[in-house]
Amino acid sequence: MTPTTHPNAVSGTRYRNALSSALLCVLALVATVLLHSPTVSAATTSSERLCNQHSELCTRAYNDVSAVSTHASFATTDKTRPSVPGTQYKDIKGQLDDGVRGLHFNLTKGSTASSVQLCFPDCSVNNGGELVDTLKTVKSWLDSNTNDVVTIFLEGTSMDASPAYVTNAFTSAGIDKYALKGKPATWPTLGDMIDAGTRLVVFSESAAVASANTKGYFIPYAGNVLRLEGPYNYGAEWQCGPWGRSTETILLIPHYIVQTASYGGKAYTDMPYPFNLGTTNGYQFEYHAVTCRGGQSIWVNFMEVDFYDQGDVFTPTLKMNSLPYTGDDASNFYPKFFDADPDVPGF
């Protein structure tokens, strides 16, 4: 299907109401940027410490930092000649090298009782291999990038993988040495996490997987991660619910589109939608993040995307972190998505 209109565009009264909320939030963000960030990026000195590629983030608490995360990070496919459906064009190392700092792993039982596999949407479509092998890749990257903090989301609440073997995969990969042991009462700064050697945060959607980890470094979603609605079908409106946050301090926003498609004679309702990515991963990415930031009154920590290297998800992320970016000047503090819908008058 070739799209002819903007996917997931909010229109009419709901668009204007949401846009008004977004404008208020943007004005607050602009004030923060003007107060805390230079309008011209200064060259980083060789002696300046970097945390997740930016010196300014070293003194920020973990839950006060925005980052890009990749949906089904392991499920790669070829852009020009895809042999299997996938959600990303670059592998795990390429994603981390580019600045992705959140990885999503869909867990299922492997070929043996003691193995854990990464598959999307199931193993007959895109089989990403064993969890332990992917964790070794992440561990190798952390070994070489000593000033970076990475987050892993273990997804699946009804998967058939043994919770104990999920923990075993982390131990066998040797990556558990980097894991933050349990959610602290107050999130530390990135600089403190780097100094302490706890540069990996692991969240588990499955309470059983989290509780099976006796060392406590699988932090359960429940009470800690507020995952907003999603994914979305083409043409649906981006949402900022569910509402009624309680103790959650991490905001995860799924920002990708799925479609119903058949593969191997079976119909799937959550196949990736690799079209119109310049829009989905462009102004709509920024609009979705800013609107939900204002609506939820909690920092946007992770925007989960498909095909992150299509469009531009990193410039809006720099803006959310009040960091200078290419072409950074006062005129760019007025997001261009405000004029993107013809039904909405200019401001």
Side-chain angles (χ1 to χ4, degrees):
M1 178 170 60
T2 302
T4 57
T5 59
H6 294 309
N8 298 63
V10 184
S11 60
T13 302
R14 292 189 65 182
Y15 186 100
R16 282 182 276 273
N17 290 341
L19 201 53
S20 297
S21 298
L23 180 58
L24 292 174
C25 181
V26 167
L27 292 176
L29 289 174
V30 168
T32 301
V33 171
L34 290 174
L35 285 171
H36 298 290
S37 295
T39 57
V40 178
S41 178
T44 300
T45 64
S46 59
S47 61
E48 190 174 28
R49 183 188 191 187
L50 301 180
C51 298
N52 280 15
Q53 302 180 320
H54 300 280
S55 60
E56 297 92 335
L57 298 183
C58 291
T59 56
R60 304 262 187 96
Y62 172 82
N63 64 326
D64 286 338
V65 175
S66 298
V68 175
S69 67
T70 48
H71 169 228
S73 310
F74 56 89
T76 56
T77 187
D78 186 82
K79 182 179 180 182
T80 56
R81 296 177 62 87
S83 57
V84 296
T87 58
Q88 310 298 331
Y89 292 135
K90 291 189 177 183
D91 62 14
I92 296 289
K93 182 181 182 301
Q95 294 171 32
L96 293 171
D97 286 344
D98 285 349
V100 170
R101 290 297 176 267
L103 304 171
H104 295 256
F105 297 159
N106 305 62
L107 307 179
T108 190
K109 182 180 177 181
S111 56
T112 65
S114 61
S115 65
V116 181
Q117 208 85 359
L118 299 178
C119 296
F120 178 83
D122 62 31
C123 293
S124 67
V125 179
N126 194 309
N127 189 325
E130 292 197 12
L131 171 63
V132 65
D133 294 327
T134 297
L135 291 176
K136 288 178 181 178
T137 298
V138 180
K139 193 256 183 187
S140 176
W141 191 90
L142 286 169
D143 290 342
S144 301
N145 295 268
T146 57
N147 289 316
D148 289 272
V149 175
V150 172
T151 301
I152 290 176
F153 297 89
L154 302 177
E155 301 199 328
T157 56
S158 59
M159 79 303 188
D160 53 5
S162 167
Y165 291 129
V166 177
T167 295
N168 288 351
F170 277 76
T171 304
S172 297
I175 199 173
D176 57 327
K177 72 175 185 177
Y178 289 124
L180 181 71
K181 305 303 189 291
K183 179 193 174 297
T186 302
W187 285 106
T189 66
L190 295 192
D192 288 342
M193 295 172 72
I194 291 167
D195 290 341
T198 53
R199 298 187 290 114
L200 177 69
V201 180
V202 184
F203 293 108
S204 173
E205 186 178 15
S206 166
V209 169
S211 61
N213 186 287
T214 57
K215 295 182 179 180
Y217 57 80
F218 289 172
I219 303 173
Y221 275 31
N224 297 301
V225 177
L226 179 60
R227 186 184 190 276
L228 300 191
E229 297 174 28
Y232 299 85
N233 294 114
Y234 177 82
E237 297 178 353
W238 304 114
Q239 301 290 337
C240 291
W243 307 101
R245 179 173 66 91
S246 56
T247 61
E248 297 90 348
T249 56
I250 301 299
L251 181 59
L252 168 62
I253 303 180
H255 181 84
Y256 55 92
I257 298 173
V258 297
Q259 61 179 327
T260 298
S262 295
Y263 184 83
K266 180 179 176 180
Y268 295 88
T269 60
D270 53 355
M271 283 292 199
Y273 186 80
F275 308 105
N276 214 24
L277 294 170
T279 299
T280 302
N281 290 349
Y283 83 85
Q284 289 193 359
F285 176 96
E286 188 166 358
Y287 171 74
H288 194 189
V290 171
T291 302
C292 294
R293 167 70 178 90
Q296 288 287 350
S297 298
I298 182 177
W299 200 263
V300 177
N301 299 111
F302 295 96
M303 292 288 289
E304 180 187 4
V305 298
D306 282 344
F307 311 107
Y308 76 94
D309 56 328
Q310 306 299 298
D312 180 9
V313 296
F314 290 112
T315 296
T317 305
L318 289 173
K319 294 179 183 180
M320 287 188 284
N321 282 321
S322 298
L323 295 172
Y325 56 94
T326 302
D328 185 7
D329 60 50
S331 65
N332 287 329
F333 292 135
Y334 185 79
K336 295 181 174 52
F337 55 66
F338 281 130
D339 295 323
D341 192 300
D343 293 334
V344 179
F347 286 81

